[in-house]
Amino acid sequence: MKPLRRERRPALPRAAEARTASLVSLDAEAAALRELREGLSRTPREIPCKYLYDDAGSALFERITRLPEYFPTRTETALLVRSARDLVEAAGGKALSDVVELGSGAGSKTVCLLEAALALGGRPRYVAVDISAHALQRTREILAEQPEVSVEQVLADYTQPFTLPRKPKGARRLVLFLGGTIGNEEDPSAIALLSRVREHLDAGDLLLLGANLVTDPAVIHAAYNDAEGVTAAFNRNLLRVVNAVAGSHFDPSLFDHHAPYVVERRRIEMWLIAREALEVDLGRIGSTLRLGRGEGIRTEISRRFLRDEILRIVDASGFTPERWLESPDGRFGLALGAARSSLRGIR
Ligand code: SAH
Ligand code: AVI
């Protein structure tokens, strides 16, 4: 096959844009400190889960996806592989020219969708959006084996307004939000995020949303409490990330990983629990954090959904649910929704 042009964009601004970049990063730092201060003042104390993903955190997450206990990645990948052709046909087949993935991670499970698009005669561009430069670098490495697909990388926080490269003229856009990452958000922020995504789309463009479904609590518990302790290391690494961002003095070795499955809320809650009474200098966040022995900070929620809950989120975000696919064991679901025409300016 003839090798086609491969577009490569640097994940970080070029030198000519350095001034803007430093202004943006000062602003971003102030926002991060505000967000951390607010989270640590709340009951319960919280640090947003996006702080899990510096380079080390992204590499640890990739290890998690290969653990025997962590079933979601394998289950979703098998479902995607089995349904890739159908999904791409539903998303426009040959006409599908723009695949955007939010929180793309390594991007490895997306390859089957891009291959299906190529097999149907399409020439999709892949736009990977992630907060982690390391994750985007891994995407670049993995997609290098697929030279017919042009790749663009966007280093962005999708919980904030973000920009995407313009859609090629006449393009059909498919946005992927996979991995069950929607379950790391409560309903209002999930809907706010997907509604913002909707603004980047034209009516008829599509969203493919992957979600963990309710299943055996013991199986879910094991997935977040692996024998090797990789999830515990991933959780504790968040404190290193916060120290780097804020100049705080958390000692990760003084915290235990605690990740119960809370049956009545249908979610894993990941916590870091102080093993002894602690005073932590919060650096640029300001003040000192006092924790009693056994007190903690919540670092992530990871929800399990019922099918109708996911379809409601899709609908409330401006998409009409068109397809629902479920793994044979009922542990993972994929919803395909079509962007409705926007009534902006009318209501
Ligand atoms: N989609 C992949 C990766 C899931 S892990 C999969 O299914 O395996 C979650 C990914 O989202 C990580 O790569 C992380 O860096 C990214 N992420 C988390 N919070 C984010 C945010 N606020 N903005 C952008 N990316 C984020
Ligand atoms: C990214 N997200 C969907 C993962 C999850 O399962 O909630 C992150 C994770 N946390 C602990 N293990 C994996």
Side-chain angles (χ1 to χ4, degrees), residues 139-161:
T139 314
R140 183 190 275 262
E141 284 162 19
I142 287 168
L143 270 289
E145 286 165 28
Q146 207 52 259
E148 294 107 312
V149 177
S150 71
V151 179
E152 300 227 10
Q153 300 168 311
V154 177
L155 188 63
D157 176 353
Y158 56 56
T159 64
Q160 307 297 319

Side-chain angles (χ1 to χ4, degrees), residues 53 61 64 70 179-181 184 224 231 234 270 300 302 304:
Y53 300 96
F61 177 73
I64 289 175
Y70 193 78
T181 307
N184 298 142
Y224 294 80
T231 310
F234 175 63
M270 216 162 64
E300 186 185 66
S302 188
R304 311 293 112 164

Side-chain angles (χ1 to χ4, degrees), residues 286-339:
S287 79
T288 301
L289 177 69
R290 289 184 182 81
L291 291 172
R293 181 174 168 215
E295 282 185 342
I297 303 169
R298 193 166 66 197
T299 55
E300 186 185 66
I301 60 165
S302 188
R303 300 167 65 192
R304 311 293 112 164
F305 294 93
L306 302 173
R307 184 194 69 163
D308 287 354
E309 291 173 327
I310 283 296
L311 298 184
R312 251 197 312 276
I313 289 175
V314 168
D315 185 63
S317 310
F319 297 87
T320 302
E322 296 218 319
R323 296 251 175 124
W324 174 255
L325 302 168
E326 216 171 285
S327 62
D329 59 9
R331 290 180 183 170
F332 206 94
L334 286 166
L336 186 70

